[in-house]
Amino acid sequence: MKLLPKLLTSAALAVGLALPALAQDPFKVGFIYVGTPGDYGWTYEHDQARLAVEAHYGDAVETVYLESVPEGADAERSITQMILGGADMIFTTSFGYGEATNAVAGRFPDVYFEHATGYMREHANVSTYNARFYEGRAVLGHIAGQMTESNIIGYIGSYPIPEVIQGINSAFLHARAVNPDVEFRVVWAYTWFDPAIEADAAQALVDAGADVIMQHTDSTAPQTVAQEAGIISFGQASDMIQFAPRPRVASIIDNWTPYYIRRVGEAMDGSWAQSDIWEGMPEGMVVIGELTDAIPAEVRASAQVMIDALKAGSYHPFTGPINKQDGSPWLAAGEVADDGTLLGMNFYVEGITGDIPN
Protein backbone atom coordinates (compact mmCIF):
# COMPACT_ATOMS: atom_id res chain seq x y z
CA MET A 1 0.00 0.00 0.00
CA LYS A 2 1.29 3.45 -0.85
CA LEU A 3 -0.58 6.48 0.46
CA LEU A 4 0.57 9.82 -0.99
CA PRO A 5 -0.63 13.41 -0.80
CA LYS A 6 -1.79 15.05 -3.96
CA LEU A 7 1.28 16.50 -5.77
CA LEU A 8 2.14 17.88 -9.18
CA THR A 9 3.15 15.11 -11.56
CA SER A 10 6.85 14.34 -11.83
CA ALA A 11 6.72 15.12 -15.54
CA ALA A 12 5.56 18.65 -14.91
CA LEU A 13 8.24 19.14 -12.32
CA ALA A 14 10.95 17.90 -14.70
CA VAL A 15 10.01 20.20 -17.55
CA GLY A 16 10.14 23.27 -15.33
CA LEU A 17 7.98 25.40 -17.63
CA ALA A 18 7.32 29.00 -16.69
CA LEU A 19 3.73 28.36 -15.72
CA PRO A 20 1.80 29.93 -12.83
CA ALA A 21 2.10 27.90 -9.62
CA LEU A 22 -0.76 25.45 -9.24
CA ALA A 23 -2.47 25.48 -5.87
CA GLN A 24 -2.46 22.10 -4.18
CA ASP A 25 -5.87 20.78 -3.22
CA PRO A 26 -6.45 20.74 0.53
CA PHE A 27 -6.24 17.40 2.30
CA LYS A 28 -9.89 16.43 2.88
CA VAL A 29 -10.87 14.79 6.18
CA GLY A 30 -14.34 13.37 6.81
CA PHE A 31 -16.08 12.59 10.10
CA ILE A 32 -19.01 10.22 10.59
CA TYR A 33 -21.10 11.04 13.67
CA VAL A 34 -23.62 8.83 15.45
CA GLY A 35 -25.29 11.88 16.99
CA THR A 36 -25.26 15.62 16.37
CA PRO A 37 -22.76 18.26 17.47
CA GLY A 38 -25.69 19.76 19.34
CA ASP A 39 -25.77 16.85 21.78
CA TYR A 40 -23.17 18.71 23.88
CA GLY A 41 -21.74 15.30 24.73
CA TRP A 42 -19.96 12.62 22.70
CA THR A 43 -20.45 14.02 19.20
CA TYR A 44 -19.96 17.59 20.39
CA GLU A 45 -16.44 16.76 21.58
CA HIS A 46 -15.54 14.99 18.33
CA ASP A 47 -16.77 18.04 16.44
CA GLN A 48 -14.74 20.38 18.62
CA ALA A 49 -11.69 18.31 17.67
CA ARG A 50 -12.65 18.56 13.98
CA LEU A 51 -12.78 22.34 14.28
CA ALA A 52 -9.42 22.29 16.04
CA VAL A 53 -7.94 20.39 13.08
CA GLU A 54 -9.20 23.10 10.74
CA ALA A 55 -7.77 25.83 12.93
CA HIS A 56 -4.41 24.06 13.25
CA TYR A 57 -3.83 23.36 9.55
CA GLY A 58 -5.68 26.27 7.98
CA ASP A 59 -6.16 26.12 4.22
CA ALA A 60 -4.10 22.92 3.96
CA VAL A 61 -7.03 20.90 5.32
CA GLU A 62 -10.72 20.79 4.55
CA THR A 63 -13.11 18.90 6.85
CA VAL A 64 -16.61 17.60 6.26
CA TYR A 65 -19.01 15.61 8.44
CA LEU A 66 -22.25 13.69 8.39
CA GLU A 67 -24.32 13.59 11.56
CA SER A 68 -26.87 11.13 12.99
CA VAL A 69 -25.60 8.27 10.83
CA PRO A 70 -27.11 4.96 12.03
CA GLU A 71 -24.72 2.12 12.74
CA GLY A 72 -24.93 -0.59 10.08
CA ALA A 73 -25.62 -0.44 6.34
CA ASP A 74 -26.38 3.29 6.44
CA ALA A 75 -22.89 3.91 7.78
CA GLU A 76 -21.30 2.04 4.88
CA ARG A 77 -23.24 4.14 2.39
CA SER A 78 -22.36 7.37 4.19
CA ILE A 79 -18.64 6.56 4.35
CA THR A 80 -18.62 5.66 0.65
CA GLN A 81 -20.44 8.85 -0.23
CA MET A 82 -17.85 10.89 1.66
CA ILE A 83 -14.96 9.19 -0.16
CA LEU A 84 -16.58 9.69 -3.56
CA GLY A 85 -16.81 13.34 -2.55
CA GLY A 86 -13.03 13.47 -2.31
CA ALA A 87 -12.21 12.57 1.29
CA ASP A 88 -8.61 11.45 1.82
CA MET A 89 -9.13 10.38 5.43
CA ILE A 90 -12.18 9.27 7.44
CA PHE A 91 -12.81 9.22 11.21
CA THR A 92 -15.76 7.00 12.12
CA THR A 93 -16.66 7.97 15.65
CA SER A 94 -18.79 5.20 17.15
CA PHE A 95 -18.18 1.57 18.14
CA GLY A 96 -20.90 0.22 15.86
CA TYR A 97 -19.21 1.56 12.73
CA GLY A 98 -16.52 -1.12 12.84
CA GLU A 99 -17.82 -3.46 10.16
CA ALA A 100 -18.82 -0.64 7.83
CA THR A 101 -15.43 1.05 8.23
CA ASN A 102 -13.52 -2.10 7.33
CA ALA A 103 -15.83 -2.99 4.46
CA VAL A 104 -15.29 0.38 2.81
CA ALA A 105 -11.57 0.43 3.62
CA GLY A 106 -11.13 -2.76 1.60
CA ARG A 107 -12.52 -1.00 -1.46
CA PHE A 108 -10.49 2.19 -1.03
CA PRO A 109 -6.93 1.21 -0.03
CA ASP A 110 -5.56 4.71 -0.65
CA VAL A 111 -7.81 6.33 1.95
CA TYR A 112 -6.88 6.48 5.64
CA PHE A 113 -9.48 5.20 8.12
CA GLU A 114 -9.60 5.82 11.88
CA HIS A 115 -12.30 4.03 13.93
CA ALA A 116 -13.12 5.28 17.43
CA THR A 117 -13.50 2.75 20.28
CA GLY A 118 -13.20 -0.17 17.86
CA TYR A 119 -10.95 -3.19 17.53
CA MET A 120 -11.32 -4.34 13.90
CA ARG A 121 -8.30 -3.63 11.68
CA GLU A 122 -8.86 -5.92 8.72
CA HIS A 123 -6.93 -3.76 6.27
CA ALA A 124 -3.60 -1.94 6.49
CA ASN A 125 -5.29 1.44 6.02
CA VAL A 126 -7.47 1.08 9.16
CA SER A 127 -6.43 2.18 12.64
CA THR A 128 -8.41 2.14 15.88
CA TYR A 129 -8.29 4.48 18.85
CA ASN A 130 -9.97 4.66 22.22
CA ALA A 131 -9.81 6.49 25.53
CA ARG A 132 -9.37 5.00 28.99
CA PHE A 133 -12.66 6.39 30.23
CA TYR A 134 -12.48 4.11 33.26
CA GLU A 135 -9.76 6.39 34.66
CA GLY A 136 -12.12 9.34 34.76
CA ARG A 137 -14.96 7.23 36.14
CA ALA A 138 -12.74 6.25 39.07
CA VAL A 139 -12.58 9.92 40.05
CA LEU A 140 -16.32 10.43 39.64
CA GLY A 141 -17.02 7.29 41.69
CA HIS A 142 -14.69 8.57 44.42
CA ILE A 143 -16.68 11.81 44.57
CA ALA A 144 -20.10 10.16 44.31
CA GLY A 145 -19.43 7.71 47.12
CA GLN A 146 -18.71 10.58 49.51
CA MET A 147 -21.60 12.79 48.43
CA THR A 148 -24.49 10.34 48.30
CA GLU A 149 -26.85 10.46 51.28
CA SER A 150 -29.18 7.66 50.22
CA ASN A 151 -26.19 5.40 49.42
CA ILE A 152 -27.88 4.60 46.09
CA ILE A 153 -26.03 5.66 42.95
CA GLY A 154 -27.84 5.33 39.64
CA TYR A 155 -25.88 4.49 36.49
CA ILE A 156 -27.29 4.72 32.96
CA GLY A 157 -25.47 2.36 30.59
CA SER A 158 -25.73 2.49 26.82
CA TYR A 159 -24.84 -1.03 25.66
CA PRO A 160 -23.28 -3.89 27.69
CA ILE A 161 -19.92 -3.76 25.91
CA PRO A 162 -16.52 -3.88 27.67
CA GLU A 163 -15.98 -0.11 27.49
CA VAL A 164 -19.21 0.53 29.41
CA ILE A 165 -18.72 -2.34 31.87
CA GLN A 166 -15.21 -1.04 32.66
CA GLY A 167 -16.73 2.29 33.62
CA ILE A 168 -19.40 0.79 35.86
CA ASN A 169 -16.86 -1.38 37.67
CA SER A 170 -14.35 1.44 38.07
CA ALA A 171 -16.91 3.90 39.40
CA PHE A 172 -18.32 1.30 41.81
CA LEU A 173 -14.95 0.21 43.17
CA HIS A 174 -13.97 3.78 43.98
CA ALA A 175 -17.35 4.70 45.42
CA ARG A 176 -17.32 1.59 47.62
CA ALA A 177 -13.72 2.32 48.71
CA VAL A 178 -14.85 5.52 50.43
CA ASN A 179 -18.36 4.35 51.37
CA PRO A 180 -18.87 0.63 52.05
CA ASP A 181 -22.66 1.11 52.13
CA VAL A 182 -22.92 2.27 48.51
CA GLU A 183 -25.22 0.41 46.12
CA PHE A 184 -25.24 0.77 42.34
CA ARG A 185 -28.46 0.56 40.33
CA VAL A 186 -27.77 0.11 36.61
CA VAL A 187 -30.35 0.84 33.90
CA TRP A 188 -29.51 -0.12 30.31
CA ALA A 189 -30.78 2.37 27.72
CA TYR A 190 -29.66 0.42 24.62
CA THR A 191 -28.85 3.65 22.84
CA TRP A 192 -25.96 6.06 22.72
CA PHE A 193 -28.15 9.09 22.16
CA ASP A 194 -31.87 9.33 22.76
CA PRO A 195 -32.86 12.13 25.15
CA ALA A 196 -36.33 10.71 25.83
CA ILE A 197 -35.05 7.25 26.73
CA GLU A 198 -32.19 8.69 28.79
CA ALA A 199 -34.59 10.96 30.69
CA ASP A 200 -36.88 8.01 31.45
CA ALA A 201 -33.90 6.00 32.69
CA ALA A 202 -32.76 8.84 34.94
CA GLN A 203 -36.27 9.30 36.34
CA ALA A 204 -36.55 5.57 37.06
CA LEU A 205 -33.33 5.78 39.05
CA VAL A 206 -34.55 8.82 40.96
CA ASP A 207 -37.78 6.97 41.74
CA ALA A 208 -35.68 4.04 43.02
CA GLY A 209 -33.99 6.30 45.56
CA ALA A 210 -30.79 7.33 43.74
CA ASP A 211 -29.48 10.72 44.76
CA VAL A 212 -26.53 10.56 42.35
CA ILE A 213 -26.84 9.95 38.59
CA MET A 214 -23.94 8.75 36.45
CA GLN A 215 -24.24 7.96 32.75
CA HIS A 216 -22.51 6.44 29.76
CA THR A 217 -24.95 7.90 27.25
CA ASP A 218 -24.54 11.06 25.28
CA SER A 219 -27.38 13.53 25.85
CA THR A 220 -27.87 16.11 28.56
CA ALA A 221 -31.33 14.73 29.43
CA PRO A 222 -30.13 12.99 32.63
CA GLN A 223 -28.63 16.31 33.73
CA THR A 224 -32.01 17.98 33.38
CA VAL A 225 -33.74 15.23 35.37
CA ALA A 226 -31.12 15.49 38.10
CA GLN A 227 -31.46 19.27 38.19
CA GLU A 228 -35.22 19.04 38.60
CA ALA A 229 -34.87 16.39 41.32
CA GLY A 230 -32.21 18.37 43.14
CA ILE A 231 -29.73 15.50 43.07
CA ILE A 232 -26.13 15.17 41.94
CA SER A 233 -25.10 14.53 38.33
CA PHE A 234 -21.86 14.42 36.36
CA GLY A 235 -21.14 15.78 32.90
CA GLN A 236 -20.59 13.02 30.34
CA ALA A 237 -18.11 13.33 27.44
CA SER A 238 -18.17 17.12 27.74
CA ASP A 239 -18.57 19.48 30.66
CA MET A 240 -22.35 20.00 30.28
CA ILE A 241 -22.24 22.64 33.03
CA GLN A 242 -24.51 24.98 31.07
CA PHE A 243 -27.31 22.42 31.35
CA ALA A 244 -27.06 21.73 35.06
CA PRO A 245 -24.81 24.20 36.84
CA ARG A 246 -26.29 22.88 40.05
CA PRO A 247 -26.14 20.16 41.18
CA ARG A 248 -23.60 19.01 38.52
CA VAL A 249 -20.38 18.67 40.48
CA ALA A 250 -17.77 17.47 37.97
CA SER A 251 -17.48 15.89 34.55
CA ILE A 252 -15.53 13.46 32.44
CA ILE A 253 -14.39 15.13 29.22
CA ASP A 254 -13.21 13.37 26.05
CA ASN A 255 -10.40 15.40 24.51
CA TRP A 256 -9.82 14.09 20.99
CA THR A 257 -8.06 17.20 19.69
CA PRO A 258 -4.38 16.23 20.14
CA TYR A 259 -4.96 12.80 18.60
CA TYR A 260 -6.84 14.16 15.58
CA ILE A 261 -4.27 16.84 14.87
CA ARG A 262 -1.44 14.31 15.19
CA ARG A 263 -3.01 11.67 12.95
CA VAL A 264 -4.07 14.10 10.24
CA GLY A 265 -0.53 15.48 10.19
CA GLU A 266 0.94 11.99 9.88
CA ALA A 267 -1.37 11.20 6.98
CA MET A 268 -0.37 14.42 5.24
CA ASP A 269 3.39 13.94 5.65
CA GLY A 270 3.38 10.22 4.84
CA SER A 271 4.34 8.95 8.30
CA TRP A 272 0.91 7.52 9.17
CA ALA A 273 1.05 3.85 10.17
CA GLN A 274 -1.66 1.46 11.30
CA SER A 275 -2.04 1.52 15.06
CA ASP A 276 -4.31 0.66 17.96
CA ILE A 277 -4.22 3.55 20.42
CA TRP A 278 -5.67 3.53 23.95
CA GLU A 279 -4.82 6.74 25.79
CA GLY A 280 -6.11 8.26 28.99
CA MET A 281 -5.40 10.92 31.57
CA PRO A 282 -1.57 10.86 31.28
CA GLU A 283 -1.87 11.72 27.57
CA GLY A 284 -4.70 14.23 28.07
CA MET A 285 -7.31 12.23 26.15
CA VAL A 286 -9.43 11.90 29.31
CA VAL A 287 -9.90 15.06 31.36
CA ILE A 288 -11.82 15.78 34.55
CA GLY A 289 -13.77 19.02 34.31
CA GLU A 290 -14.07 21.63 37.00
CA LEU A 291 -14.58 20.27 40.51
CA THR A 292 -17.26 22.74 41.51
CA ASP A 293 -17.72 24.22 44.96
CA ALA A 294 -20.79 21.99 45.34
CA ILE A 295 -18.22 19.36 46.36
CA PRO A 296 -17.02 19.62 49.98
CA ALA A 297 -13.48 20.95 50.21
CA GLU A 298 -12.03 17.74 51.65
CA VAL A 299 -13.63 15.66 48.88
CA ARG A 300 -12.28 18.04 46.23
CA ALA A 301 -8.84 17.70 47.75
CA SER A 302 -8.88 13.89 47.81
CA ALA A 303 -10.27 13.80 44.25
CA GLN A 304 -7.43 16.05 43.11
CA VAL A 305 -4.89 13.70 44.67
CA MET A 306 -6.39 10.85 42.62
CA ILE A 307 -6.42 12.97 39.46
CA ASP A 308 -2.76 13.84 39.92
CA ALA A 309 -1.82 10.18 40.48
CA LEU A 310 -3.76 9.06 37.40
CA LYS A 311 -2.18 11.77 35.24
CA ALA A 312 1.26 10.79 36.50
CA GLY A 313 0.58 7.13 35.72
CA SER A 314 1.35 6.14 39.30
CA TYR A 315 -2.12 4.76 40.01
CA HIS A 316 -4.25 2.27 38.07
CA PRO A 317 -8.00 2.09 38.89
CA PHE A 318 -8.00 -1.70 38.62
CA THR A 319 -5.41 -2.60 41.25
CA GLY A 320 -6.05 -5.64 43.46
CA PRO A 321 -7.25 -7.13 45.60
CA ILE A 322 -10.45 -7.30 43.52
CA ASN A 323 -12.89 -10.18 43.20
CA LYS A 324 -15.42 -10.86 40.49
CA GLN A 325 -19.12 -10.57 41.23
CA ASP A 326 -19.40 -14.24 42.19
CA GLY A 327 -16.65 -13.81 44.81
CA SER A 328 -13.96 -15.58 42.81
CA PRO A 329 -10.54 -13.88 42.88
CA TRP A 330 -9.64 -11.69 39.94
CA LEU A 331 -6.68 -9.56 41.02
CA ALA A 332 -4.40 -10.30 43.95
CA ALA A 333 -3.22 -7.51 46.26
CA GLY A 334 -1.12 -5.06 44.27
CA GLU A 335 -1.80 -6.79 40.95
CA VAL A 336 -2.87 -4.53 38.07
CA ALA A 337 -5.38 -5.58 35.41
CA ASP A 338 -3.87 -6.22 31.99
CA ASP A 339 -5.26 -4.45 28.95
CA GLY A 340 -6.42 -7.67 27.33
CA THR A 341 -8.76 -8.47 30.22
CA LEU A 342 -10.06 -4.92 30.36
CA LEU A 343 -10.74 -4.84 26.61
CA GLY A 344 -12.79 -8.02 26.93
CA MET A 345 -14.38 -7.24 30.30
CA ASN A 346 -17.72 -9.05 30.54
CA PHE A 347 -18.22 -9.31 34.29
CA TYR A 348 -19.12 -7.13 37.25
CA VAL A 349 -16.88 -6.85 40.27
CA GLU A 350 -17.93 -8.07 43.68
CA GLY A 351 -20.62 -5.97 45.31
CA ILE A 352 -22.60 -5.00 42.20
CA THR A 353 -26.01 -6.67 42.04
CA GLY A 354 -27.86 -7.64 38.88
CA ASP A 355 -26.79 -9.33 35.71
CA ILE A 356 -25.10 -8.02 32.60
CA PRO A 357 -27.51 -8.48 29.68
CA ASN A 358 -26.40 -10.80 26.89
Side-chain angles (χ1 to χ4, degrees):
M1 178 184 69
K2 193 172 183 181
L3 299 166
L4 296 173
K6 299 174 181 177
L7 301 173
L8 297 174
T9 65
S10 57
L13 290 172
V15 172
L17 298 176
L19 297 174
L22 298 178
Q24 183 175 325
D25 290 339
F27 188 79
K28 191 168 186 178
V29 185
F31 295 80
I32 303 292
Y33 295 152
V34 73
T36 72
D39 67 6
Y40 289 97
W42 175 262
T43 296
Y44 170 81
E45 286 297 333
H46 284 283
D47 200 59
Q48 291 298 295
R50 176 187 68 83
L51 294 173
V53 168
E54 286 188 341
H56 184 83
Y57 290 108
D59 293 341
V61 169
E62 174 189 355
T63 71
V64 293
Y65 69 89
L66 290 172
E67 63 183 49
S68 300
V69 177
E71 297 171 332
D74 286 338
E76 190 169 334
R77 286 190 291 270
S78 295
I79 298 167
T80 301
Q81 172 188 338
M82 196 167 273
I83 294 170
L84 295 178
D88 301 294
M89 186 175 197
I90 304 284
F91 288 87
T92 54
T93 63
S94 188
F95 176 82
Y97 293 148
E99 291 185 2
T101 299
N102 281 272
V104 179
R107 300 199 301 271
F108 295 94
D110 290 333
V111 175
Y112 302 90
F113 292 84
E114 296 268 349
H115 178 218
T117 74
Y119 62 92
M120 301 171 63
R121 295 175 301 281
E122 297 176 354
H123 305 281
N125 56 333
V126 179
S127 282
T128 50
Y129 61 101
N130 202 351
R132 296 181 185 269
F133 305 115
Y134 65 83
E135 294 179 345
R137 297 197 194 284
V139 178
L140 303 192
H142 174 82
I143 296 169
Q146 296 177 83
M147 294 192 68
T148 178
E149 295 180 1
S150 69
N151 291 326
I152 299 175
I153 295 175
Y155 201 111
I156 305 170
S158 48
Y159 295 95
I161 60 175
E163 172 192 319
V164 179
I165 297 168
Q166 291 163 20
I168 295 170
N169 284 333
S170 180
F172 175 79
L173 286 169
H174 291 82
R176 180 61 70 90
V178 294
N179 182 349
D181 297 323
V182 158
E183 299 177 30
F184 263 38
R185 306 282 174 86
V186 180
V187 172
W188 295 99
Y190 292 98
T191 182
W192 292 111
F193 178 77
D194 189 315
I197 292 175
E198 294 173 66
D200 287 346
Q203 189 60 55
L205 290 166
V206 172
D207 294 342
D211 64 352
V212 178
I213 298 293
M214 303 181 75
Q215 67 186 92
H216 199 143
T217 53
D218 299 342
S219 88
T220 59
Q223 314 292 308
T224 301
V225 172
Q227 175 95 319
E228 293 173 352
I231 67 171
I232 295 167
S233 64
F234 295 91
Q236 159 63 19
S238 72
D239 201 30
M240 293 185 174
I241 192 168
Q242 63 269 51
F243 296 94
R246 294 292 183 273
R248 179 204 123 335
V249 296
S251 55
I252 179 171
I253 300 172
D254 310 335
N255 179 24
W256 305 109
T257 293
Y259 182 78
Y260 284 4
I261 289 175
R262 181 171 83 239
R263 294 298 274 173
V264 169
E266 290 169 355
M268 292 171 69
D269 68 21
S271 64
W272 186 97
Q274 185 183 61
S275 62
D276 178 28
I277 298 298
W278 200 15
E279 296 180 346
M281 293 179 69
E283 299 84 5
M285 189 175 277
V286 176
V287 177
I288 298 298
E290 177 194 3
L291 304 178
T292 72
D293 58 12
I295 306 172
E298 64 275 14
V299 178
R300 283 203 308 273
S302 62
Q304 189 61 55
V305 169
M306 182 178 289
I307 291 168
D308 292 343
L310 286 162
K311 290 171 68 174
S314 60
Y315 175 65
H316 193 293
F318 291 107
T319 301
I322 302 174
N323 293 338
K324 293 185 178 181
Q325 186 183 43
D326 61 7
S328 62
W330 174 34
L331 298 173
E335 184 181 3
V336 173
D338 64 89
D339 283 354
T341 301
L342 293 178
L343 289 168
M345 182 169 274
N346 61 357
F347 59 88
Y348 283 146
V349 295
E350 188 175 40
I352 299 180
T353 59
D355 298 324
I356 299 172
N358 294 322

